[in-house]
């Protein structure tokens, strides 16, 4: 090799270490395996053989479905054998997810969301039991699996597998294909718990090529009906906010493509489309294409012909038969059932829809918001990804262009990022606060920056029962704060507002009160809801929707 | 149904129209099909039977591989039978992609990039022959396929298929799985041209479930070696810029995760890592995890132990054996060959890496840049997605935090978005201009906003042979413009700069000249390149790299 070819290479390097390690791991579990099928009764032994201290392990804890059998086996491992694992879990949902840390099996954690375990999560962080790498938005965590956080082992879950490892995820595809791809193609071991081993899966969602081991779990995997909102709990204030949002934002900006969060406020919007929306003549003009899970509260709008398409992050228990009967609207497979995919739906929710609307627990004077409150480390989920203006977007739409921003030649539209909340939550807690609890949490936990879910400068609109604030129209920070304060009611942020300031903001179009939008506050009644109970939703679905037992009252 | 359940539903609606239409289409092509296999000799007839006027058709034209057989058959269709198609093509690369419009087969186009056909594209747009929906960044176009642009038919390409439709895409996976998923799960027909029909594919990249029809193409699909840069064409100015970038950005910010564009300037950076970078003691400290195609110019850095991982958008002809022999670095399948995936790599390039660096044809005084120049409608490709600060990012890294931005509590880091360019291009054309040609093009074509590739406010650094401008440190728009002008040399943007202004900017750290960075301009010689020719790259690879014929000079 000539000098120009640089320094002589060091002694021949081994470039197949990951592959070799994988072969050794699979060799070590052979006593517990027949073909690709692991003996469920030997799960703990198999993990002892499979895992090495310090391994990076992706444990499937999705927004809804959970690899709970594997999580339990992991939590049960002997910390003398398996320790110092680095876990990647998108949603910390099970007790076992944190047991592994308390038992010393795992040490480091990268995650996205910790709703059901948020209090304990905060404690373990404070105690130093968990060493948190970072809190991510979902897709950011998957993205890192292809860069600096590639898993050594992936512990996943699916509905069914055949003996060649072909997987059927069923309606709740969620994160499984993405995590499997990251592990399978870089020398990681992919182990999947399935509800059933079958001779032939109804459809192949993940090729057997990508799967090393499957195990039939003694119980079907845990699955939460996170997106079911009982219309009985939707109150008049939610309905008023829904009316304000519909007239002040959806109609005004002509929002045809959108994502909805899971609150009662957005459920109210879904439920007044066939009534209030219909009377406004908005069918076909707004809300045509959606990215969201199959919300039962969307059924009346679908049945009334409002909805052309819905792409889903995951499924929703009870909607299986309904979705399968509506293939023109939902993405479904050759077997007839829903095909969801979190990474692609998050991509669609980031780049292809014009509006994100959701709630937060706390909003400050600059419209920064967070669900991290004192003693709770909730994380972010998908909100940061969908709740910001993606600067990489280049296609125009009327709604996007209606928020024209920037100076020529860098003129561009902007995504509608809407925060919707009552000024006070149940128990009289103000939603608008001087300082987010997240600031203190960050300080206590030694985080480099406060865990803010949606940054204020990404928020274009705020809706409360007082009215709509058009923050995107503010030309100064002061105006922006005033517009927000004008809809913040009697909270610490809103209470100082003078009436004449509000008048000026209304004149300038920065704030709209109900009367400015032609919304009759007295009409905000539950009779406006197309369905007032889960039973009504079942009726709308023609009996196709089967609500989970906890939502049945009849 | 009670009143609360809303208006009575209209006459029972058919919810399976897409599925029915699909069945009818497949029925219509039956004369040309055996099993799932189409007769290549009857391709035109088959398309006549399959397609309906006005169909939305995703035609696979990727950055590298092309469904060229299907594109040719489509261009050959009778416009009396097939007309007014709406095409989705991520990269307009073939003559046939535009022939379909001239022949009246297609009318509307949504796309992302039009490099090789950019001149003709501009003409057809001006003539009104093509009705452009929008120019997208890659992932944005895929995202819309799950929202408002779901394909009725997808015309794709792959390396091999078996008789059940299982596909092997080979190293160049690129866009195929994503488009197939969008079409297959919403009643679209998926038709794939393959180089070879086989009894068993080496690995399943796309399950046969998702594929309706396959056809063995008479020729292997067209594939461009887009990412091969011959080191012979790297000049001293490129090397100087590479040294400045390495010291002024990579070393200063500790950039460990990154994406590189395909220019000679970034190729120079790759090639001085094992020489200049090694002498600076930077191995292991920077450039550890990459998202990019298998650039041949990265081989010396890989062989010298700089690179821990590379995730790829697509493959690169000639690198197959090399990549297969380096599975610790590259993502490879159970068959040993590369697994790429554009959508996941773009996601990684957006959210998981700390730096994007690339060139543009024109940059204005505010650092807005575009590759759209007069008479050329190039489009965007992946740059807008990776070349912006993703506001959805929540994980911290030292490089990201080193660009701390925002006001408390909304403090956050920022992605490094670097533009690298010589002040003048070949032929003496200035890279820095008063007004981007894109502004005029937008006006002429009636676009709603100018096609800007990277917005100035997203750019953190600009590197030229003059030095490095740290735009992210500017606190005013005026400072920002001055810092940019200070490195813009004798172009219309740079020529007005006074020396004392530059001194002040250097003092404030907004600009660094070579001497400020400890870069000896005289050392910028070709001897610094670890490889000075394609032959050298082959030697570095131990003979594993097989350059395409056009790059062979020996």
């Amino acid at each position: 090799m000539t000098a120009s070819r640089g320094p002589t290479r060091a002694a021949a390097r081994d470039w197949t270490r990951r592959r070799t390690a994988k072969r050794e791991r699979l060799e070590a579990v052979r006593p517990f395996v027949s073909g690709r099928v692991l003996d469920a009764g030997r799960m703990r032994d198999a993990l002892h053989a499979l895992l090495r201290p310090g391994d990076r392990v992706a444990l499937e804890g999705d927004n809804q479905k959970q690899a709970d059998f594997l999580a339990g086996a992991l939590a049960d491992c002997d910390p003398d054998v398996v320790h110092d694992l680095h876990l990647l879990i998108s949603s910390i949902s099970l007790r076992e997810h944190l047991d592994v840390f308390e038992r010393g099996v795992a040490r480091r954690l990268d995650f996205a969301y910790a709703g059901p375990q948020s209090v304990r999560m905060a404690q373990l962080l404070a105690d130093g039991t968990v060493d948190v790498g970072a809190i991510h938005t979902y897709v950011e965590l998957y993205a890192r699996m292809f860069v600096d956080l590639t898993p050594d082992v992936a512990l996943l879950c699916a509905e069914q597998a055949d003996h060649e490892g072909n997987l059927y995820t069923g309606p709740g595809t969620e994160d499984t294909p993405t995590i499997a791809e990251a592990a399978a193609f870089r020398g990681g071991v992919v182990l999947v718990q399935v509800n059933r081993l079958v001779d032939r899966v109804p459809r192949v969602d993940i090729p057997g090529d990508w799967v090393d081991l499957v195990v039939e779990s003694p119980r079907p995997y845990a699955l939460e009906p996170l997106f079911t909102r009982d219309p009985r709990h939707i109150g008049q204030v939610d309905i008023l906010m829904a009316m304000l949002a519909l007239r002040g934002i959806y109609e005004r900006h002509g929002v045809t493509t959108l994502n909805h969060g899971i609150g009662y406020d957005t459920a109210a919007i879904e439920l007044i489309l066939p009534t209030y929306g219909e009377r406004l003549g908005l069918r076909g003009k707004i809300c045509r294409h959606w990215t969201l899970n199959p919300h039962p509260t969307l059924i009346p709008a679908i049945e009334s012909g409002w909805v052309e398409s819905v792409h889903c992050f995951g499924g929703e228990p009870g909607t299986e038969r309904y979705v399968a009967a509506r293939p023109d609207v939902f993405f479904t497979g050759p077997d007839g059932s829903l095909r969801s995919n979190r990474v692609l739906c998050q991509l669609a929710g980031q780049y292809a829809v014009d509006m994100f609307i959701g709630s937060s627990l706390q909003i400050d004077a600059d419209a920064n918001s967070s669900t991290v409150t004192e003693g709770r480390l909730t994380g972010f989920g998908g909100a940061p990804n969908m709740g910001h203006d993606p600067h990489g977007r280049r296609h125009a739409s009327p709604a996007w262009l209606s928020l024209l921003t920037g100076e020529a030649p860098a003129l561009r539209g902007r995504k509608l990022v809407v925060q919707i909340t009552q000024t006070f939550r149940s128990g009289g807690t103000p939603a608008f606060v001087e300082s987010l609890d997240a600031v203190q949490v960050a300080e206590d936990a030694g985080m480099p920056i406060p865990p803010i879910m949606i940054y204020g400068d990404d928020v274009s609109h705020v809706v409360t029962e007082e009215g709509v604030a058009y923050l995107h129209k503010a030309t100064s920070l002061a105006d922006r704060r005033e517009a927000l304060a004008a809809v913040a009611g009697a909270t610490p942020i809103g209470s100082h507002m003078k009436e004449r300031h509000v008048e000026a903001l209304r004149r300038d179009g920065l704030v709209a009160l109900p009367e400015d939008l032609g919304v009759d506050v007295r009409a905000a009644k539950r009779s406006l809801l197309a369905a007032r109970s889960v039973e009504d939703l079942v009726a709308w679905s023609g009996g196709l929707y089967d609500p989970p037992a906890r939502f049945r009252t009849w």
Side-chain angles (χ1 to χ4, degrees), chain A residues 68 81 316:
Chain A
D68 51 357
V81 181
E316 180 64 6

Side-chain angles (χ1 to χ4, degrees), chain A residues 331-360:
Chain A
F331 285 69
T332 57
D335 64 316
S337 75
L338 181 71
R339 165 71 176 192
S340 60
N341 187 324
R342 188 173 314 284
V343 72
L344 292 176
C345 198
Q346 284 284 342
L347 188 74
Q350 179 188 18
Y351 270 129
V353 307
D354 286 334
M355 188 177 83
F356 164 85
I357 180 169
S359 323
S360 289

Side-chain angles (χ1 to χ4, degrees), chain A residues 50-81:
Chain A
L50 187 66
L51 296 167
R52 306 273 177 273
D55 271 354
R56 195 182 290 137
V57 178
L59 173 59
E60 185 160 14
D62 296 347
N63 203 3
Q64 295 166 282
K65 75 178 176 182
Q66 306 296 331
D68 51 357
F69 176 58
L70 296 175
L74 194 64
D76 199 35
C77 279
D78 180 349
D80 285 338
V81 181

Side-chain angles (χ1 to χ4, degrees), chain A residues 470-488:
Chain A
Y470 298 88
L471 301 187
H472 68 98
K473 294 178 82 172
T475 49
S476 74
L477 205 60
D479 276 0
R480 216 166 171 283
R481 288 177 149 237
E482 295 252 295
L484 182 72
V487 299

Side-chain angles (χ1 to χ4, degrees), chain A residues 102-120:
Chain A
E102 285 194 332
R103 293 206 58 248
V105 172
R107 173 80 208 147
R108 191 170 172 83
L109 173 65
D110 278 279
F111 74 108
Y113 186 69
Q117 297 289 330
S118 57
V119 173
R120 195 163 154 226

Side-chain angles (χ1 to χ4, degrees), chain A residues 467-550:
Chain A
V468 180
Y470 298 88
L471 301 187
H472 68 98
K473 294 178 82 172
T475 49
S476 74
L477 205 60
D479 276 0
R480 216 166 171 283
R481 288 177 149 237
E482 295 252 295
L484 182 72
V487 299
T491 64
I493 298 302
S495 54
H496 74 278
M497 276 301 285
K498 302 260 187 322
E499 200 165 322
R500 65 185 163 79
H501 279 155
V502 178
E503 290 312 306
L505 292 164
R506 288 169 70 186
R507 232 178 10 248
D508 295 343
L510 267 73
V511 165
L513 303 189
E515 56 265 41
D516 303 328
L517 298 170
V519 169
D520 179 359
V521 175
R522 291 161 309 174
K525 295 217 160 72
R526 279 182 47 84
S527 56
L528 218 53
L529 297 176
R532 293 181 223 156
S533 65
V534 171
E535 200 180 355
D536 284 353
L537 294 172
V538 174
W540 267 104
S541 78
L544 292 166
Y545 171 45
D546 308 306
R550 76 175 84 163

Side-chain angles (χ1 to χ4, degrees), chain A residues 115-137:
Chain A
Q117 297 289 330
S118 57
V119 173
R120 195 163 154 226
M121 183 72 229
Q123 286 167 350
L124 294 185
L125 184 70
D127 300 347
T129 310
V130 179
D131 175 9
V132 170
I135 316 177
H136 304 75
T137 188

